[in-house]
Amino acid sequence: QFLNSLQLRVLFALIVAVCSGTATLCLDLTDPFRGRFSVVTATAQIVRLEDLLVDDVDAAERLVDDAQTQGVLDAVFFHTLTSGFAAPVRAVGDVVSYAVRPISRRKRRRTDD
């Protein structure tokens, strides 16, 4: 005997489940405007994605316009302080500003005297 009775029952249940699932899927796909796989929901997702992309492009254009009006040096500072290297750049800036403070105080004292 090729399969015993338990294996035949499991095989029959599996075949029935696969065939009924395939039939349900085919019935659902016959009408593209109703059911689980609907064109309407897919187009709504695409419209939302398009809106997000338009918003991103507008934000990027505003950043470019701001960078052009602020000048090249300001744009370089902006990109340096917002990039992945922002933490080390800020740390170096803090150290430099801390070191410059006593020098500028000494200059003020000399000019006051």
Side-chain angles (χ1 to χ4, degrees):
Q1 187 176 4
F2 184 65
L3 296 173
N4 63 19
S5 65
L6 179 65
Q7 290 173 334
L8 282 174
R9 290 179 186 183
V10 169
L11 180 63
F12 178 75
L14 187 65
I15 290 172
V16 168
V18 168
C19 290
S20 64
T22 304
T24 304
L25 180 65
C26 290
L27 283 174
D28 195 19
L29 290 175
T30 57
D31 189 7
F33 297 102
R34 287 188 302 174
R36 183 81 175 137
F37 301 102
S38 174
V39 174
V40 176
T41 57
T43 56
Q45 291 173 352
I46 291 173
V47 168
R48 178 69 182 136
L49 181 63
E50 182 184 12
D51 291 341
L52 290 173
L53 290 173
V54 167
D55 291 343
D56 286 346
V57 168
D58 290 342
E61 286 175 352
R62 280 194 303 273
L63 281 176
V64 168
D65 291 341
D66 290 345
Q68 289 174 350
T69 57
Q70 291 176 355
V72 176
L73 190 58
D74 290 336
V76 169
F77 286 149
F78 172 77
H79 290 295
T80 303
L81 294 177
T82 57
S83 67
F85 302 105
V89 169
R90 289 182 190 138
V92 170
D94 291 343
V95 168
V96 168
S97 66
Y98 182 76
V100 170
R101 278 187 208 156
I103 296 171
S104 63
R105 287 183 187 159
R106 286 185 210 145
K107 288 182 181 179
R108 280 190 228 147
R109 288 182 190 158
R110 289 181 187 164
T111 57
D112 291 340
D113 293 337

